Amino acid sequence: MPLKVTSKDYVVFLKLVAEKIAESKEYITALDSAIGDGDHWVNINKGFQALVNKAEILEEQSISEMFKTIGMTLMAAVGGSSGLLYGSAYLAASRITKNIEYLDIDSIYMVLESMSDEIMSRGKAEVGQKTMVDCIFPSVKAFRNAIDQQLSIPDLTNMVIQTAINGANNTLEMPAMKGRAYYQQDKGIGHLDPGAVTMSYQIVILMELINKITETQ
Ligand code: ADP
Ligand code: MG
């Protein structure tokens, strides 16, 4: 049976991410204090808490409406670059999911690709500049390869998870070329990019949930 991810399932994902972010306060704050202004955890935590508060509304919406509400909520609730980048990413996802009743593997791929493209164009960022792009872009590529190779869902999700984690880890030695880290004397070399790390949490949790849903369907 093909994968079927509903708005209700996506809200489960949002709640799991909110929990993971909430418990990573010290770690993410330390990362952004080393290379930025220290507020990335506050920003992203505020955003996901705002989404959890809207869980009941989101669950009842179509996929496209839900992504639109998520995007608007993040834009309104989250300060900093990440609010605008995630907000625009979800609005892009809303635009490409019109008329879709539920998400399957191909549409989840399309959603992630549209988000990655939108973040890169909004942020004018490319791979290798020590941002969240270094996590999402290679993950989308790995997803594409996995679909092309017709991998099973466990293999596909595993491949994307490994790529997301490696992508975040690869920011360690990169000199920053975007965002606040660019203005640090050491360009953040030797520190992970906080936005890449929180992006990896989201991609890992989404892939784990897809796997779990596949097992029960
Ligand atoms: P701010 O940098 O405005 O304080 P946050 O601390 O919430 O915002 O987010 C910082 C993260 O945003 C960085 O770690 C990086 O991953 C990401 N980021 C910053 N600028 C850009 C950009 N131009 N393009 C893509 N991602 C960016
Ligand atoms: Mg910051």
Side-chain angles (χ1 to χ4, degrees):
M1 200 164 115
L3 175 74
K4 200 167 167 178
V5 175
T6 62
S7 298
K8 263 203 166 79
D9 296 322
Y10 203 83
V11 169
V12 171
F13 158 73
L14 296 173
K15 288 179 176 170
L16 290 169
V17 173
E19 263 174 47
K20 173 75 184 171
I21 300 278
E23 70 192 32
S24 310
K25 178 178 179 179
E26 279 75 27
Y27 179 55
I28 300 301
T29 302
L31 292 181
D32 198 34
S33 302
I35 73 163
D37 55 353
D39 65 349
H40 182 60
W41 180 83
V42 172
N43 291 336
I44 197 116
N45 186 60
K46 205 187 286 169
F48 275 91
Q49 294 305 324
L51 296 178
V52 169
N53 289 339
K54 289 203 176 160
E56 283 173 23
I57 299 168
L58 293 168
E59 279 176 355
E60 298 304 322
Q61 291 183 319
S62 70
I63 296 287
S64 175
E65 286 166 350
M66 173 188 71
F67 284 151
K68 188 172 178 188
T69 307
I70 295 174
M72 310 273 273
T73 305
L74 292 175
M75 286 226 187
V78 186
S81 323
S82 44
L84 178 70
L85 294 171
Y86 274 100
S88 328
Y90 271 103
L91 295 185
S94 170
R95 289 193 292 274
I96 62 136
T97 47
K98 294 246 155 73
N99 308 320
I100 283 182
E101 229 178 290
Y102 57 84
L103 296 164
D104 58 13
I105 276 293
D106 289 329
S107 49
I108 290 173
Y109 167 75
M110 277 163 40
V111 163
L112 286 176
E113 184 190 39
S114 71
M115 290 180 147
S116 178
D117 289 349
E118 184 70 20
I119 290 171
M120 289 172 80
S121 69
R122 279 278 154 172
K124 301 188 175 52
E126 288 167 22
V127 174
Q129 299 187 324
K130 203 179 184 84
T131 70
M132 55 176 84
V133 170
D134 292 307
C135 176
I136 190 169
F137 183 85
S139 303
V140 168
K141 292 284 162 239
F143 203 139
R144 177 76 260 159
N145 285 338
I147 291 177
D148 291 345
Q149 291 170 38
Q150 299 180 327
L151 294 191
S152 65
I153 297 224
D155 288 347
L156 178 153
T157 51
N158 189 35
M159 193 178 213
V160 176
I161 286 173
Q162 291 316 317
T163 308
I165 293 170
N166 291 341
N169 285 338
N170 285 342
T171 63
L172 188 72
E173 295 305 332
M174 286 177 189
M177 292 165 75
K178 289 283 161 191
R180 295 179 197 275
Y182 174 71
Y183 300 97
Q184 300 277 339
Q185 210 174 10
D186 62 1
K187 301 267 185 282
I189 293 172
H191 301 281
L192 291 175
D193 176 63
V197 172
T198 55
M199 177 64 82
S200 74
Y201 292 169
Q202 295 167 71
I203 294 176
V204 169
I205 291 171
L206 183 62
M207 293 301 122
E208 287 173 352
L209 186 66
I210 289 174
N211 229 341
K212 202 168 150 208
I213 292 173
T214 309
E215 279 167 11
T216 55
Q217 277 176 353

